[in-house]
Amino acid sequence: MIAEPTETERQNLSSVADVLPSWNAHDIPGVLAFYDENITWINIALEETYTGKEQVRAFLAQLFDAFPDLTFEVTYKIARGNNVAEQWIIRGTHRGSFIGVPATGRRVEIPGMSMVELRDGKFLSDHFYFDSGIALRQMGLLPPLATTRTPAGRFVLGLVVSGARGVRAAGGLLGRRTRR
């Protein structure tokens, strides 16, 4: 038997749902109104952490500039105490520079997951995960994985891996200090 959600869990599930219209309207102040002053976002895929509303604001501005038609959909969520796990999909067209990648004009649909901690119905922390490989393939920057199963794909992959090993070896030699 599944227990009924507590009042805290209901409030947290409501916050996760209620912030979506602000996300989809690209209303950054509206999104941030749902966040605790001490919000911490840990972006696992990009290996970045955003601490406080100003850093989150800056990331959101970059995201919405790069994907001006971005939408955010939560497809599943479950609450336990102060935590909500959510599965989501972002969709949009890559029309501006993002993480140093110039606009490709490509449409992306990127699934992800978040582990959110809330305090008094406000987002306190969010550890979110998405497959950056999927994003790069959809932007046309990586070949489909099926390509590596072809003879030509394996050949090119072999060259890339060999080159990467050479770069690491050269970096090791260049990075050494010599004694005089």
Side-chain angles (χ1 to χ4, degrees):
M1 181 173 181
I2 298 174
E4 287 295 314
T6 67
E7 181 58 34
T8 296
E9 291 166 344
R10 279 193 295 279
Q11 180 183 23
N12 291 342
L13 288 168
S14 179
S15 293
V16 168
D18 293 347
V19 73
L20 290 177
S22 294
W23 263 93
N24 290 324
H26 300 190
D27 175 7
I28 295 173
V31 171
L32 294 175
F34 285 87
Y35 289 8
D36 188 273
E37 291 300 321
N38 298 311
I39 181 69
T40 300
W41 267 12
I42 299 177
N43 184 335
I44 305 300
L46 298 183
E47 301 175 339
E48 295 180 340
T49 298
Y50 319 107
T51 305
K53 286 185 175 184
E54 287 311 308
Q55 288 185 6
V56 171
R57 179 189 316 275
F59 177 78
L60 288 174
Q62 180 187 24
L63 182 67
F64 294 150
D65 285 347
F67 298 90
D69 59 346
L70 182 128
T71 61
F72 188 100
E73 176 188 2
V74 173
T75 57
Y76 182 78
K77 59 188 175 233
I78 187 167
R80 174 68 99 204
N82 290 326
N83 298 294
V84 175
E86 58 182 1
Q87 182 176 308
W88 45 262
I89 298 173
I90 58 171
R91 295 177 179 93
T93 308
H94 184 215
R95 300 216 181 271
S97 180
F98 186 66
I99 61 168
V101 177
T104 62
R106 294 270 191 94
R107 185 109 176 110
V108 297
E109 183 172 302
I110 305 166
M113 300 213 44
S114 288
M115 290 299 297
V116 179
E117 179 184 1
L118 294 100
R119 177 171 54 199
D120 300 323
K122 293 199 177 233
F123 290 67
L124 181 60
S125 72
D126 186 352
H127 296 70
F128 56 99
Y129 308 73
F130 65 90
D131 184 338
S132 56
I134 287 173
L136 293 172
R137 279 192 294 284
Q138 290 181 14
M139 287 190 275
L141 301 172
L142 288 177
L145 287 177
T147 303
T148 63
R149 295 184 184 105
T150 67
R154 284 192 302 273
F155 176 75
V156 170
L157 189 57
L159 290 175
V160 170
V161 170
S162 295
R165 285 185 191 139
V167 169
R168 280 195 307 269
L173 291 174
L174 294 174
R176 289 186 189 155
R177 291 188 180 172
T178 55
R179 281 196 160 151
R180 293 185 183 214

